[in-house]
Amino acid sequence: DIQMTQSPASLSASVGDRVTITCRASQSISDWLAWYQQKPGKAPKVLIYKAFSLESGVPSRFSGSRSGTEFTLTISSLQPDDSATYYCQQFNGYPFTFGQGTKVEIK
Amino acid sequence: QLQLQESGPAVVRPSETLSLTCTVSGGSISNRSYYWAWIRQPPGKGLQWIATIYYDGSTDYNPSLKSRITISVDSSKNQVSLTLRSMTVADTSVYYCARQWGPLGWFDPWGPGTLVTVSS
């Protein structure tokens, strides 16, 4: 199985801050990675797919990047509505696997 | 707009079999562009992919669960079903169904999920 190591587990930042979340794959997954946002009691929602592509309707402050097997989700200017848990998911091959999640809190 | 809705029992006894159904509305489950998946999340924990099915019945299973699960599709009802046998407390989770974008793809949209508790 491809392991996805996500960091940090949690973070606290202020409105307007730039926030980065990282996911490292245990092997090459090309660009086959998605990022999801999950709020309490709700299903995850896709933000980014194929490492870089912004899902329709998602604010442009969210962006994805890749360097080798390391993937980054960036929130350029944190907003109160961004308080949530974020997950990465690889879909390079079965079994699909997720990162452990990053809980983002607003100071 | 495509919508998915999971249904099934809220409580299952240990050793029993869980049967869940995902009803798709606003689109056809036979659309050849998409696959259909089940994902679960234990309370307070992360996400685990369970299984994926195509409209023609072809399947992929998580090896960690493969011996206990069956996924099936009923195109006439626009439904995908999941069966999980020999349930234990560790299977207590919110179970989600989702549309999968291609044979290797991301999940979007998701159903709201259904909490299944294993308890005697």
Side-chain angles (χ1 to χ4, degrees):
Chain A
D1 299 5
I2 299 173
Q3 306 303 316
M4 304 302 297
T5 303
Q6 189 172 339
S7 61
S10 64
L11 65 89
S12 181
S14 300
V15 172
D17 283 355
R18 183 181 183 88
V19 168
T20 60
I21 300 167
T22 298
C23 238
R24 184 181 299 273
S26 60
Q27 65 187 70
S28 175
I29 59 169
S30 187
D31 291 337
W32 305 133
L33 183 111
W35 288 98
Y36 300 89
Q37 177 192 67
Q38 185 178 33
K39 296 186 177 181
K42 301 293 187 181
K45 291 178 56 177
V46 68
L47 300 173
I48 303 283
Y49 58 94
K50 292 184 185 177
F52 312 98
S53 297
L54 189 68
E55 172 72 0
S56 175
V58 173
S60 59
R61 63 181 179 273
F62 292 93
S63 64
S65 62
R66 170 197 168 195
S67 177
T69 59
E70 185 170 289
F71 297 81
T72 301
L73 173 70
T74 300
I75 308 173
S76 61
S77 178
L78 191 68
Q79 299 301 305
D81 189 52
D82 301 336
S83 178
T85 301
Y86 295 83
Y87 293 94
C88 62
Q89 175 231 336
Q90 68 81 17
F91 51 93
N92 182 74
Y94 290 105
F96 298 148
T97 47
F98 293 85
Q100 302 93 324
T102 296
K103 186 173 185 179
V104 174
E105 296 181 331
I106 311 296
K107 283 182 183 176
Chain B
Q1 181 181 355
L2 192 83
Q3 292 186 313
L4 302 91
Q5 180 67 55
E6 305 88 350
S7 58
V11 180
V12 176
R13 300 194 188 284
S15 80
E16 291 189 341
T17 295
L18 171 67
S19 294
L20 295 174
T21 298
C22 173
T23 300
V24 177
S25 59
S28 174
I29 210 164
S30 300
N31 186 317
R32 298 186 180 198
S33 297
Y34 306 117
Y35 289 61
W36 307 91
W38 286 95
I39 302 124
R40 70 179 183 178
Q41 184 173 37
K45 297 188 178 180
L47 298 159
Q48 181 185 35
W49 169 77
I50 301 171
T52 289
I53 192 165
Y54 194 44
Y55 80 98
D56 66 358
S58 58
T59 59
D60 282 281
Y61 292 114
N62 191 316
S64 68
L65 298 167
K66 188 173 183 177
S67 64
R68 298 196 291 132
I69 57 177
T70 303
I71 189 173
S72 60
V73 62
D74 186 335
S75 297
S76 68
K77 295 181 179 179
N78 233 29
Q79 292 178 335
V80 178
S81 296
L82 178 72
T83 299
L84 178 53
R85 296 173 290 277
S86 302
M87 295 280 284
T88 72
V89 171
D91 294 313
T92 294
S93 292
V94 176
Y95 287 78
Y96 297 101
C97 62
R99 179 176 64 179
Q100 179 179 314
W101 286 68
L104 296 175
W106 63 99
F107 306 117
D108 177 62
W110 298 52
T114 185
L115 174 62
V116 179
T117 301
V118 182
S119 174
S120 55

